[in-house]
Amino acid sequence: KFAIFVDLENCGAKVPTLNSILEKVKIRGDILLGKVYGYTDRFSDLKELLLSNTFTVVPSLRYGIAQKNNADIQLVVDALEVPLIDSFCIVSGDSDYTPLVGRLKSMGKFVLGISRSEAASTVFINACNEFQFLEGVSGRTVAPAAPKKHRASTEEAADEAELNKLIVSILEESADTDGMYASEL
């Protein structure tokens, strides 16, 4: 049983992306509660999808600069008030949600995080029980954008080789278990 909370401003949601997210979560269990935060007219193409999946829409009402995180705070409050649900999906990469993830986990809840690779905070990624990039969820094989290099150095190549060896050794050590989530790796 899942509750799914979507921060529209951080995930840049489009209909195919949100459909893919829903399918990915539905594979894991029933979605009993769905809420989207920060809804404005610029997301109007999502109306049919949100209504057909019985999402509650929390509009973005801003007044001045001080209201910047208004939807974020509402998401946190709503998530902490959800009874009888054991799994949460938070669609955002914002590190502001890290304390929420910690609190949910301390309550014995499973937290799946999903975000665009360019917007995902390492702190948020590491806090979740499992994390997936939107590019992987949507079924497209889009790799996260690599930082531009001005020139390749042998030191960087050596660091990458060491990292590859470390990853291989971790995977070999865990070969006798049922598997490993990418967030554990």
Side-chain angles (χ1 to χ4, degrees), residues 76-97:
V76 171
V77 169
D78 289 351
L80 290 174
E81 291 180 343
V82 174
L84 306 175
I85 292 186
D86 51 6
S87 299
F88 289 76
C89 177
I90 300 172
V91 182
S92 175
D94 195 335
S95 65
D96 292 347
Y97 294 119

Side-chain angles (χ1 to χ4, degrees), residues 5 35 37 71-82 100:
F5 297 90
K35 287 192 171 192
Y37 297 83
D72 296 358
I73 293 167
Q74 188 62 52
L75 185 152
V76 171
V77 169
D78 289 351
L80 290 174
E81 291 180 343
V82 174
L100 170 63

Side-chain angles (χ1 to χ4, degrees), residues 76 79-80 97-109 111 127:
V76 171
L80 290 174
Y97 294 119
T98 303
L100 170 63
V101 172
R103 179 70 174 137
L104 291 171
K105 287 171 63 177
S106 74
M107 296 165 55
K109 311 293 184 179
V111 181

Side-chain angles (χ1 to χ4, degrees), residues 20-183:
S20 297
I21 291 168
L22 291 173
E23 290 305 314
K24 193 70 159 177
V25 175
K26 285 178 182 178
I27 288 170
R28 299 165 170 278
D30 294 329
I31 299 174
L32 299 184
L33 174 69
K35 287 192 171 192
V36 295
Y37 297 83
Y39 186 87
T40 63
D41 288 337
R42 75 175 190 208
F43 298 114
S44 63
D45 57 329
L46 297 174
K47 276 183 188 177
E48 184 179 343
L49 177 63
L50 296 173
L51 289 170
S52 64
N53 285 282
T54 65
F55 269 79
T56 301
V57 175
V58 180
S60 180
L61 299 174
R62 291 185 177 186
Y63 181 76
I65 299 170
Q67 298 298 315
K68 179 182 163 295
N69 291 324
N70 201 23
D72 296 358
I73 293 167
Q74 188 62 52
L75 185 152
V76 171
V77 169
D78 289 351
L80 290 174
E81 291 180 343
V82 174
L84 306 175
I85 292 186
D86 51 6
S87 299
F88 289 76
C89 177
I90 300 172
V91 182
S92 175
D94 195 335
S95 65
D96 292 347
Y97 294 119
T98 303
L100 170 63
V101 172
R103 179 70 174 137
L104 291 171
K105 287 171 63 177
S106 74
M107 296 165 55
K109 311 293 184 179
F110 172 84
V111 181
L112 168 64
I114 300 176
S115 176
R116 293 177 296 150
S117 59
E118 68 270 8
S121 160
T122 305
V123 173
F124 180 74
I125 292 170
N126 293 334
C128 294
N129 293 98
E130 182 180 343
F131 188 88
Q132 296 182 9
F133 290 108
L134 278 174
E135 295 86 355
V137 169
S138 65
R140 295 178 294 150
T141 55
V142 176
K148 293 181 181 177
K149 294 181 183 178
H150 294 291
R151 54 187 171 166
S153 70
T154 56
E155 185 177 315
E156 288 175 359
D159 288 344
E160 187 175 329
E162 288 297 315
L163 179 60
N164 286 335
K165 287 179 188 176
L166 181 60
I167 291 171
V168 168
S169 68
I170 290 170
L171 291 173
E172 287 175 347
E173 288 174 13
S174 67
D176 51 327
T177 63
D178 288 341
M180 176 183 288
Y181 291 118
S183 59

